[in-house]
Amino acid sequence: MPVESGARPHVPGLQRRLLEAAKALTFPLLPDDYLALINPMWSSRELQGTIVELRPETSRATTVVIRPSFRWPGHRAGQYVRIGVAHGGVRHWRAYTLTSDYPHPDGLISISVRRVDGGRVSSFLNDEARPGMSVSLGEVEGTFCLPESPETPLLMISAGSGVTPIFAMLRELARRGARTDVVHIHCEHRAEDIMFGELLGARLSGYRRIDRISGTEGRLAPAELDALCPDWRERASFLSGPPEMLKDFSGFYEAQSCRDRLALEHFQPFIGDGGAGGLGQGGRIHFRGRDLSAEADGHTPILDAGEAAGAPLSYGCRMGICHTCNCKLVSGRVRDLRTGQVHGEPGQMVRICISAPEGDVELEEGHIVIDGTGPRSKA
Amino acid sequence: MSTIVYDGTLPDGHPLHRLTPEQLDALGREFQAVHDDVYADLNDADAQYIRRMIRIQRSLAAGSRAVLVASRFWPAWVLGTAGLGVAKILENMEIGHNVMHGQWDWMNDPYIHSSTWDWDTASPASAWKHSHNYLHHTYTNIVGKDKDVGYEILRVDDKQPWEPRFLAQPIYNALLALLFEWGVAVHDLDIEAVSEGTKDPEELRQQGREIVQKVLGQVLKDYFAWPAISGVIMTLVEVGVIGLFDPASQEVLPGESRPRRRVLGRRGRGLRSGNVVARLGRRRSFREPFRSTMTANIVANLIRNVWAYAIIFCGHFPEQAWTFTEEEVADETQGGWYLRQLIGSVNIEGGPLFHIMSGNLSFQVEHHLYPDMPSSRYQQIAPRVRAICERYELPYNTGPFLKQVWSVQKKILRLAFPGRVDWPKPGPWREPAVAEEPDAALPAFP
């Protein structure tokens, strides 16, 4: 699918068979397109949701409670979902951590969104969204999850809105009755911005919370772990925060030879050597069917390089989630900028927003935009 | 089509050769600025426009299909056929054509997008997007390259060399009007390349498969599934009618008392007395609604075909439009491209409803300058385009609908015969002076 779209909903068997049969009457549209005239939520083209409640968490963060249009497929604590929001006539997609526990008795889900200055979707969800509005729901994704049986004591470290997956995990631990020994260090620039402060601040059994107000106390340095949580080496660690923090801590854990005790969550493409020792060499990119080629160094995504060379390429999240930018690799190999891993077989689909060329590559787009405007390049 | 014979002499005052390269560059920049201004301004109101248009069109289609269930009664047939014809026109022209041009891709909605849309006509989306969006819109009116000049069966420009087969073109022309959707579907295959054997056989097979699938879907829907729905529903209605009102249910069977007869009659006894199937057959309770719905769908498709043909032929074939040779546009710049689109296209004058029913192809000039601009904006930018024409002393081709239709038909008749004709070309555009209404400027009573 060249345009980022929602997840395929789970449609009950009988309904699916009826819709399939009724296609003969609506071809080339789907019966869903006519059902949506009565109620847009009846369309099974993609999973949608209705906002049922907006709960302010802080002055600039809101929990958005959503009723999915079809049965929610389920998720694990710490996973995220893509949400599509129409604003100014344009549909924008963002990924947000699911903060609700699954299964919810009414089938609801929630995300918790902090307003980013100048952020279109986060501002919309904090300021303009109202109950009754609809959103599109994408696939559930993410591997930043608790192990099936977390027996070891846990150390959770979060900063800012990075607390959302940690919060979901604490909820899941409580449900499992497994919250026996959790130390949670949370960093926040200003005390009043702490999300879920009251819920987490209450005296919960088996939970010790350490707040670090970086505006007055300075940023948390990894070396401070010895003082804050002396037995950190014995604990399975979960870290969710901005890229610099992830880099500092993963480097520290590496140096202390306990990197395997640390799980990381990062939403932005994590451009680094991924432990592979040095960045790639980059190379020349050729898009089949287009009369242009681009050069990219070892840390520039193919998508960025292609756009800079004037190719109107399809894209969505720009962080390797949505697969909108998928291109078929005709020849050459690419480096995954998040892991540093080099891969590539001819015919393989690669996400060009998180891949850099490793030597010369040729790609074929999933869909070429022919806008019929002749020699004019697309702005 | 064989090769083009053209002596290469340029008609006097050809706009393409009157402007200096610098003027052409400036012209290109001015036209580009109009596009960029609109794209910077696209907003929720634009998105609402196309969403509302799609909602209206689908409601009209569904409503007309429902009315056609009763199409064995002629008022329902007339109403449903007219509604379905209009729905198909809206879907093909204001929605399908424009969505598939990518005019609404900026919304990032996967279901109102050039890559996913398919329209209610015989031609599959992918083949059409190649032959129309790419070939026709890039090589507009370049005789020999733009296959839409005469669609490979008509001689609509005197640069096309005459051949005896064109003597019969008034007949092909009439057939094409009636069967337009089929003509478009076949045209997309690029018949010339097929007959010359230059088309990649794998591509041809692939496109052939797509066309067969598309045509089967269309035929199944319009000529079988919906007629069958009418037949089944009307048969059920008739079963009820027989059960409740058929005089046969009033007959008294031997050994029955009168009160019992009445109860049985109400319970649908009529169904049990005599052969119901035979009576349904006599009443043509399935056959007649099936037939009437099928004819309604045939006529709705014909209405759409003739209308689309008329509008589309007025876009480039009236006498005003310039055509080009490959040599003339050999080293074309961006400004030259805009100029070719401008003078090769022709608008149709009309009211708001006419513009919508033509898919805003009544703004063919604006559409060809900006094929990826939302159609609802063409009317808004038309004054800016005309102002540019006036400043550069360029023509802005336009005319009333019937006059343009006549211009096209006259030309097709004339070009059935050999020879070249100098059609009169309009001069530089002069914006008509707006009639002053002195009273409007003065306040009425204070």
Side-chain angles (χ1 to χ4, degrees), chain A residues 1-8 23-29 32-34 36-37 45-47 86-93 314-316 324 367 369-379, chain B residues 32 35-36 42-44 47 55 58-59 61-62 101 106-111 113-116 118-120 133-134 137-138 213-214 217-218 220-221 225-226 229 333-334 337-338 369-372:
Chain A
M1 175 75 73
V3 191
E4 191 166 1
S5 65
R8 289 226 159 272
K23 260 190 194 165
L25 298 171
T26 58
F27 182 85
L29 294 175
D32 302 279
D33 298 319
Y34 288 94
L37 293 173
R45 271 193 186 268
E46 65 177 359
L47 190 60
H87 185 249
V90 182
R91 190 194 275 198
H92 302 276
W93 287 94
S314 298
Y315 68 89
T324 307
H367 164 68
V369 181
I370 298 167
D371 58 7
T373 46
R376 170 147 61 98
S377 70
K378 199 166 169 119
Chain B
Q32 182 66 40
H35 179 272
D36 295 347
L42 291 176
N43 58 59
D44 199 41
R55 216 160 39 237
R58 286 180 187 167
S59 306
H101 258 295
W106 60 273
M107 288 164 58
N108 204 27
D109 182 323
Y111 307 112
H113 198 276
S114 61
S115 61
T116 56
D118 198 358
W119 51 355
D120 184 6
N133 284 8
Y134 176 56
H137 273 272
T138 307
Q213 255 169 24
K214 186 72 197 284
Q218 290 292 94
L220 178 68
K221 172 187 63 178
W226 278 109
I229 291 274
T333 60
Q334 186 183 355
W337 185 85
Y338 274 119
L369 292 171
Y370 313 112
D372 67 346

Side-chain angles (χ1 to χ4, degrees), chain A residues 372-376, chain B residues 16 27 31 132-142 146 315-316 321-322 324 329 332-347 363-371 385 389 395-397:
Chain A
T373 46
R376 170 147 61 98
Chain B
L16 197 53
L27 179 75
F31 275 132
H132 179 86
N133 284 8
Y134 176 56
L135 291 179
H136 168 58
H137 273 272
T138 307
Y139 303 113
T140 311
N141 282 26
I142 302 174
D146 178 5
H316 301 289
W322 291 92
F324 309 86
V329 295
E332 193 175 58
T333 60
Q334 186 183 355
W337 185 85
Y338 274 119
L339 179 56
R340 175 160 56 83
Q341 302 299 335
L342 173 76
I343 63 179
S345 309
V346 185
N347 282 2
F363 292 101
Q364 188 79 232
V365 170
E366 286 76 9
H367 173 58
H368 261 266
L369 292 171
Y370 313 112
V385 172
C389 291
Y396 179 83
N397 303 325

Side-chain angles (χ1 to χ4, degrees), chain B residues 213-355:
Chain B
Q213 255 169 24
K214 186 72 197 284
V215 168
L216 281 180
Q218 290 292 94
V219 167
L220 178 68
K221 172 187 63 178
D222 278 345
Y223 307 135
F224 185 78
W226 278 109
I229 291 274
S230 297
V232 169
I233 292 178
M234 292 308 280
T235 304
L236 290 175
V237 168
E238 299 235 1
V239 168
V241 169
I242 291 174
L244 292 172
F245 306 112
D246 192 343
S249 63
Q250 304 299 313
E251 286 165 20
V252 185
L253 297 180
E256 252 183 20
S257 62
R258 284 193 161 268
R260 173 142 179 81
R261 187 206 65 190
R262 217 178 291 135
V263 172
L264 283 173
R266 261 196 233 110
R267 281 190 192 157
R269 223 283 300 283
L271 295 178
R272 271 181 282 139
S273 66
N275 188 337
V276 179
V277 176
R279 274 193 283 161
L280 288 172
R282 253 200 321 280
R283 298 169 76 108
R284 291 181 297 169
S285 29
F286 183 86
R287 196 166 28 130
E288 186 57 34
F290 187 97
R291 196 192 59 80
S292 62
T293 301
M294 190 160 91
T295 57
N297 290 353
I298 291 173
V299 172
N301 279 325
L302 286 178
I303 293 172
R304 182 271 321 275
N305 285 352
V306 173
W307 178 255
Y309 158 91
I311 295 293
I312 288 162
F313 269 44
C314 287
H316 301 289
F317 302 160
E319 298 151 65
Q320 299 140 305
W322 291 92
T323 57
F324 309 86
T325 62
E326 292 184 43
E327 299 81 58
E328 283 172 0
V329 295
D331 299 308
E332 193 175 58
T333 60
Q334 186 183 355
W337 185 85
Y338 274 119
L339 179 56
R340 175 160 56 83
Q341 302 299 335
L342 173 76
I343 63 179
S345 309
V346 185
N347 282 2
I348 314 169
E349 291 159 10
L353 191 63
F354 177 79
H355 292 314

Side-chain angles (χ1 to χ4, degrees), chain A residues 193-240:
Chain A
D193 285 337
I194 296 178
M195 292 165 78
F196 318 117
E198 272 171 39
L199 281 171
L200 294 178
R203 293 176 60 85
L204 302 172
S205 62
Y207 174 70
R208 184 159 71 91
R209 162 83 171 278
I210 301 161
D211 282 342
R212 171 67 169 244
I213 308 304
S214 56
T216 52
E217 301 169 62
R219 269 171 61 176
L220 179 71
E224 291 177 62
L225 281 182
D226 285 326
L228 291 169
C229 179
D231 60 347
W232 64 270
R233 282 180 186 79
E234 277 89 70
R235 291 171 180 269
S237 301
F238 291 84
L239 170 61
S240 168

Side-chain angles (χ1 to χ4, degrees), chain B residues 148-276:
Chain B
D148 283 22
V149 177
Y151 300 100
E152 300 177 277
I153 57 167
L154 300 177
R155 183 170 182 248
V156 295
D157 189 87
D158 59 2
K159 292 193 187 77
Q160 295 171 272
W162 184 84
E163 292 169 38
R165 67 185 170 110
F166 290 128
L167 281 172
Q169 80 172 6
I171 298 167
Y172 316 142
N173 179 38
L175 284 175
L176 183 59
L178 289 174
L179 304 175
F180 195 64
E181 64 169 322
W182 305 98
V184 173
V186 174
H187 174 62
D188 294 339
L189 282 175
D190 193 353
I191 296 307
E192 189 186 320
V194 173
S195 62
E196 287 173 1
T198 54
K199 190 161 174 129
D200 175 28
E202 181 48 42
E203 193 190 349
L204 181 62
R205 254 197 303 281
Q206 172 67 28
Q207 286 186 359
R209 256 199 305 276
E210 277 177 29
I211 289 191
V212 168
Q213 255 169 24
K214 186 72 197 284
V215 168
L216 281 180
Q218 290 292 94
V219 167
L220 178 68
K221 172 187 63 178
D222 278 345
Y223 307 135
F224 185 78
W226 278 109
I229 291 274
S230 297
V232 169
I233 292 178
M234 292 308 280
T235 304
L236 290 175
V237 168
E238 299 235 1
V239 168
V241 169
I242 291 174
L244 292 172
F245 306 112
D246 192 343
S249 63
Q250 304 299 313
E251 286 165 20
V252 185
L253 297 180
E256 252 183 20
S257 62
R258 284 193 161 268
R260 173 142 179 81
R261 187 206 65 190
R262 217 178 291 135
V263 172
L264 283 173
R266 261 196 233 110
R267 281 190 192 157
R269 223 283 300 283
L271 295 178
R272 271 181 282 139
S273 66
N275 188 337
V276 179

